[in-house]
């Protein structure tokens, strides 16, 4: 494994949403192909929020090998799986009902543990251990790809500004019961997991994100949760945004090519 500072994020900005959606699908498929070539499976953690609709370029795409996908959730709201607030419910509605991922490859939270957040997050960590089976040999699981969103306050997954979880160094999955964005009870992957992925991609669109994207990319020293995603080498971090979200950032754009 190479050592050294994390590579700087790569910023792709698209004039319109359809360009973003098409490029994101091509990027995910490339990550999928490399993962299947090396490990015969594709491990992915998905966020909720506005990300879900931007995955539509995958639906009906003949290059997606759904049977090789193993899907986890970057964060989850601690509500029943059919609750409108559930990230699982959102991804199920927007994606999973339209494609053919084997049900046993979709790793939802154990809703029988909703009353006990400690148990619930431990159980989800055990799901990761089963999937990656390397808790003894590697310190953290290494996802092929983690797809992240960013809230207007700079939060990502369920890692919120100023929260004590920003300094979590050991747990793979942690819980909060004081999320400033409802619902308050959530579990989340921690930075040690996020920052050990092969690739992470943020997706952020719309003028509602322009101020925060400027701070996150141009002033990382402010330490907002999205700026703290810095992948350990050889991991790579990408931003897929539209020009509206990128209106204020001075961070250099990279032309997209697969
Ligand atoms: O609460 C959450 O918010 C973030 C950002 O959502 P967005 O709608 O502003 O894109 C999301 O990434 C996370 O998964 C979700 O639980």
């Amino acid at each position: 494994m190479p050592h050294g500072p994390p590579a700087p994020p790569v910023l792709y900005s698209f004039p319109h949403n359809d360009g973003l959606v098409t490029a994101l699908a091509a990027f995910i498929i490339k990550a999928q192909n490399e993962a299947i070539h090396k490990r015969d499976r594709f491990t992915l953690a998905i966020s909720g929020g506005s990300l879900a609709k931007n995955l539509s370029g995958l639906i009906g795409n003949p290059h997606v090998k759904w049977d090789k996908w193993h899907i986890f959730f970057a964060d989850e709201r601690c509500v029943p799986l059919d609750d409108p607030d559930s990230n699982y419910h959102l991804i199920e509605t927007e994606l999973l009902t339209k494609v053919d991922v084997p049900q046993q490859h979709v790793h939802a939270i154990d809703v029988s543990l909703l009353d006990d957040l400690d148990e619930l997050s431990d159980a989800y960590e055990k799901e990761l251990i089963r999937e990656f089976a390397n808790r003894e040999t590697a310190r953290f699981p290494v996802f092929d790809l983690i797809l992240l969103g960013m809230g207007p306050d700079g939060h990502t997954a369920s890692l919120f500004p100023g929260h004590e979880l920003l300094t979590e160094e050991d747990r793979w999955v942690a819980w909060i019961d004081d999320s400033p964005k409802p619902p308050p009870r959530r579990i989340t992957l921690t930075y040690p997991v996020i920052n050990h992925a092969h690739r992470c991609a943020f997706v952020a669109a719309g003028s509602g994100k322009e101020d925060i994207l400027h701070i996150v990319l141009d002033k990382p020293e402010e330490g907002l949760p999205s700026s703290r995603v810095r992948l350990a080498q050889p991991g790579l971090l990408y931003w897929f945004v539209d020009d509206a979200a990128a209106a204020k950032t001075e961070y250099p754009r990279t032309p997209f090519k697969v």
Side-chain angles (χ1 to χ4, degrees):
M1 270 256 177
H3 294 285
V10 173
L11 174 63
Y12 299 127
S13 185
F14 303 88
H16 305 293
N17 189 255
D18 52 353
L20 188 161
V21 165
T22 305
L24 182 63
F27 169 84
I28 294 172
I29 290 165
K30 183 178 179 205
Q32 166 208 263
N33 291 344
E34 286 180 12
I36 292 173
H37 179 68
K38 288 186 186 145
R39 291 174 285 280
D40 196 35
R41 63 184 188 147
F42 180 46
T43 52
L44 179 75
I46 302 188
S47 301
S50 56
L51 168 74
K53 284 203 186 305
N54 288 313
L55 299 176
S56 60
L58 297 167
I59 297 165
N61 190 315
H63 302 294
V64 186
K65 301 185 172 102
W66 295 111
D67 59 320
K68 300 288 186 187
W69 283 44
H70 294 258
I71 299 177
F72 287 81
F73 290 83
D75 72 316
E76 183 55 289
R77 288 94 174 271
C78 299
V79 294
L81 297 181
D82 59 356
D83 188 296
D85 272 339
S86 157
N87 284 343
Y88 173 90
H89 178 68
L90 177 69
I91 297 298
E92 183 185 42
T93 308
E94 295 293 337
L95 185 70
L96 300 176
T97 51
K98 302 171 184 170
V99 302
D100 285 321
V101 182
Q103 186 59 38
Q104 69 274 21
H105 291 188
V106 181
H107 300 271
I109 55 169
D110 179 350
V111 288
S112 72
L113 302 173
L114 281 178
D115 289 340
D116 186 334
L117 293 182
D118 229 2
E119 290 273 336
L120 182 71
S121 58
D122 273 5
Y124 206 67
E125 185 166 300
K126 288 199 177 87
E127 284 279 309
L128 286 174
I129 292 169
R130 273 192 289 279
E131 180 66 31
F132 291 90
N134 65 359
R135 188 56 158 146
E136 303 309 317
T137 54
R139 231 170 111 55
F140 300 104
V142 180
F143 277 96
D144 293 312
L145 176 62
I146 300 182
L147 293 173
L148 294 169
M150 174 185 65
D153 59 352
H155 85 267
T156 189
S158 285
L159 298 161
F160 289 90
H163 199 279
E164 64 186 293
L165 278 192
L166 302 190
T167 53
E168 175 62 45
E169 288 181 352
D170 185 47
R171 282 177 293 173
W172 292 5
V173 181
W175 57 268
I176 62 172
D177 60 5
D178 56 357
S179 163
K181 176 179 175 183
R185 302 169 79 248
R186 294 153 174 253
I187 63 163
T188 185
L189 298 183
T190 57
Y191 285 112
V193 174
I194 294 172
N195 284 336
H196 281 86
H198 287 295
R199 288 184 180 87
C200 268
F202 277 96
V203 181
S207 56
K209 304 274 163 89
E210 66 180 339
D211 289 325
I212 200 69
L213 190 66
H214 163 55
I215 299 172
V216 164
L217 287 178
D218 302 335
K219 301 178 181 178
E221 67 281 3
E222 293 201 6
L224 281 171
S226 296
S227 300
R228 291 172 184 248
V229 177
R230 301 179 76 233
L231 268 62
Q233 283 200 31
L236 294 170
L237 173 61
Y238 300 86
W239 282 84
F240 285 77
V241 306
D242 65 2
D243 288 353
K248 289 195 176 154
T249 180
E250 286 154 20
Y251 195 86
R253 282 79 167 151
T254 299
F256 180 76
K257 58 176 189 295
V258 187

